[in-house]
């Protein structure tokens, strides 16, 4: 029986690989995609998600547009694709304009109604800022309890990527992340940068993806090659000619839990620190008496991850 999931994303280059893996893996049933302001403006995230789904022949999967800005902070800067990180994300993904269009319902309303209709049956994977999830929690206090498991790409223990102390998804809407961490989700798995940087993809592996000869293989190769160029230029990974594909690691971990190793730890979100805004404070050394609330991935299996991409993207779908 395929696992039902909904993907909430800010499509972006690694989000697009996550969308393809979720839409094409035989053990998953991607019910819908929700978009949120993050890497680029939410309208661009929506358009990029529609393009990606159409490109792999899954234009049947509905896309719902969500929040255009964080729930509290009013200083969210110009989306990153238009700033220094333009080399890691693209305002418009390099796929043909989509024939499908977004749904009329907003993403938070879609999340609330869909999980209420099937309580405990659907996994929610959130790989962008958590604004839609916070909005859904405000719309329906029962929303969190209806989600069978929440998997979040976000946060960091020893790494960072947007400030010296924070990871982008959490930093972009820290108040939303705090709401989510305090909500009554039955199980939260957090996949931070410390794990996603263990599953780097290389230029040679991009060539292997392209050699599959499928739209998904070609798209994954293009997107990750672009990311590698950006990482080499702006934030070298330490392994030459490689880049992390953060969001897709979350999908892979849903299919095969052995892709990540986790520890049940307490995680709280910094929402006030002048220099630490958006930090995930992970109590991995038991410095407090705060109860564990989240399964935190401490590493990821690069070979398992890449093998899953190759196997899944090998199947012709268009
Ligand atoms: O920090 C990495 C995360 O921020 C990824 O989800 C990437 O797509 C961006 O949203
Ligand atoms: Ca993302």
């Amino acid at each position: 029986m395929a696992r039902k999931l909904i993907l909430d994303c800010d499509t972006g280059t690694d989000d697009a690989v996550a969308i393809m893996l979720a839409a094409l893996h035989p053990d998953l049933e991607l019910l819908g995609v929700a978009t949120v302001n993050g890497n680029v403006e939410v309208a661009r995230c929506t358009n990029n998600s529609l393009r990606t789904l159409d490109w792999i022949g899954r234009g049947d999967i509905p896309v719902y547009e969500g929040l255009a800005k964080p729930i509290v902070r009013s200083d969210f800067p110009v989306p990153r694709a238009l700033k220094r990180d333009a080399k890691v994300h693209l305002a418009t993904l390099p796929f043909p304009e989509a024939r499908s269009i977004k749904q009329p319902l907003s993403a938070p309303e879609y999340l609330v109604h869909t999980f209420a209709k099937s309580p405990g049956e659907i996994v929610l994977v959130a790989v962008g800022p958590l604004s839609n999830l916070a909005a859904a929690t405000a719309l329906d206090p029962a929303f969190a309890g209806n989600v069978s498991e929440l998997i979040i790409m976000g946060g960091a223990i020893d790494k960072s990527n947007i400030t010296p102390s924070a990871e982008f998804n959490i930093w972009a809407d820290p108040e939303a992340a705090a709401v989510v961490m305090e909500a009554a989700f039955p199980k939260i798995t957090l996949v931070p940068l410390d794990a996603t940087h263990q599953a780097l993809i290389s230029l040679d592996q991009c060539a292997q993806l392209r050699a599959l000869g499928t739209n998904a293989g070609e798209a994954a190769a293009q997107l990750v090659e672009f990311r590698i160029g950006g990482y080499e230029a702006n934030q070298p990974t330490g392994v030459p000619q490689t880049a992390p594909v953060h969001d897709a690691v979350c999908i892979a971990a849903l299919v095969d839990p052995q892709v990540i190793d986790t520890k049940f730890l307490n995680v709280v979100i910094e929402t006030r620190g002048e220099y630490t805004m958006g930090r995930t404070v992970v109590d991995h050394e038991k410095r407090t008496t705060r109860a564990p609330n989240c399964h935190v991935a401490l590493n990821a299996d690069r070979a398992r991850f890449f093998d899953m991409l190759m196997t899944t993207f090998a199947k012709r779908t268009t």
Side-chain angles (χ1 to χ4, degrees):
M1 179 80 166
R3 295 286 296 278
K4 296 182 189 315
L5 79 144
I6 288 172
L7 180 61
D8 186 276
C9 51
D10 58 336
T11 311
T13 50
D14 59 327
D15 307 71
V17 181
I19 288 173
M20 295 194 295
L21 187 56
L24 298 178
H25 196 286
D27 295 351
L28 298 177
E29 182 184 353
L30 179 58
L31 299 178
V33 171
T35 64
V36 65
N37 169 66
N39 288 314
V40 292
E41 301 94 328
V42 69
R44 290 181 184 276
C45 297
T46 303
N47 183 269
N48 287 334
S49 301
L50 291 164
R51 285 173 184 254
T52 303
L53 289 165
D54 269 26
W55 179 245
I56 60 170
R58 293 305 316 270
D60 58 297
I61 296 174
V63 176
Y64 299 82
E65 188 162 295
L67 271 60
K69 58 183 181 177
I71 63 169
V72 174
R73 65 184 292 189
S74 57
D75 63 340
F76 186 81
V78 171
R80 287 196 305 171
L82 308 180
K83 285 185 65 181
R84 76 174 180 82
D85 295 285
K87 291 188 189 312
V88 176
H89 291 288
L90 287 157
T92 303
L93 294 185
F95 313 133
E97 184 64 71
R99 293 178 300 279
S100 49
I101 60 170
K102 72 179 181 181
Q103 301 299 308
L105 198 60
S106 76
E109 291 168 309
Y110 166 66
L111 294 175
V112 164
H113 295 322
T114 307
F115 283 98
K117 275 189 307 190
S118 306
E121 295 178 22
I122 306 170
V123 177
L124 177 56
V125 181
V127 297
L130 298 172
S131 316
N132 288 340
L133 279 68
T137 304
L139 282 174
D140 177 7
F143 161 68
N146 291 333
V147 176
S148 71
E149 177 181 0
L150 172 60
I151 301 176
I152 299 169
M153 192 282 135
I157 300 173
D158 295 327
K159 295 185 73 68
S160 66
N161 64 0
I162 188 69
T163 72
S165 59
E167 174 279 327
F168 177 78
N169 284 339
I170 307 300
W171 170 87
D173 196 340
E175 288 80 6
V179 166
V180 167
M181 292 311 294
E182 289 155 17
F185 289 96
K187 179 181 180 186
I188 299 178
T189 300
L190 184 75
V191 184
L193 295 174
D194 312 79
T196 61
H197 274 261
Q198 301 298 317
L200 300 171
I201 302 290
S202 68
L203 277 182
D204 171 60
Q205 290 174 316
C206 290
Q208 293 178 57
L209 286 162
R210 176 169 286 111
L212 293 172
T214 62
N215 279 17
E218 172 58 34
Q222 265 193 63
L223 294 166
V224 179
E225 283 165 350
F226 184 81
R227 291 177 61 79
I228 290 171
Y231 271 86
E232 287 288 287
N234 286 314
Q235 40 184 332
T237 63
V239 179
Q241 302 296 336
T242 63
V245 190
H246 310 286
D247 299 344
V249 175
C250 297
I251 304 299
L254 175 59
V255 172
D256 174 6
Q258 292 186 65
V259 166
I260 57 175
D261 288 330
T262 63
K263 275 191 178 174
F264 194 40
L265 300 169
N266 178 269
V267 178
V268 294
I269 310 297
E270 178 57 71
T271 59
R272 290 193 293 271
E274 181 179 357
Y275 301 109
T276 56
M277 171 71 82
R279 181 167 186 77
T280 47
V281 180
V282 181
D283 190 8
H284 59 100
E285 295 180 310
K286 303 287 191 262
R287 302 287 186 210
T288 77
T289 57
R290 292 194 293 261
N293 57 357
C294 176
H295 300 270
V296 181
L298 301 176
N299 51 47
D301 184 322
R302 182 178 181 197
R304 275 180 182 272
F305 173 53
F306 181 65
D307 289 349
M308 191 183 296
L309 295 181
M310 287 293 285
T311 308
T312 309
F313 294 164
K315 296 185 190 71
R316 189 163 301 286
T317 59
T318 54

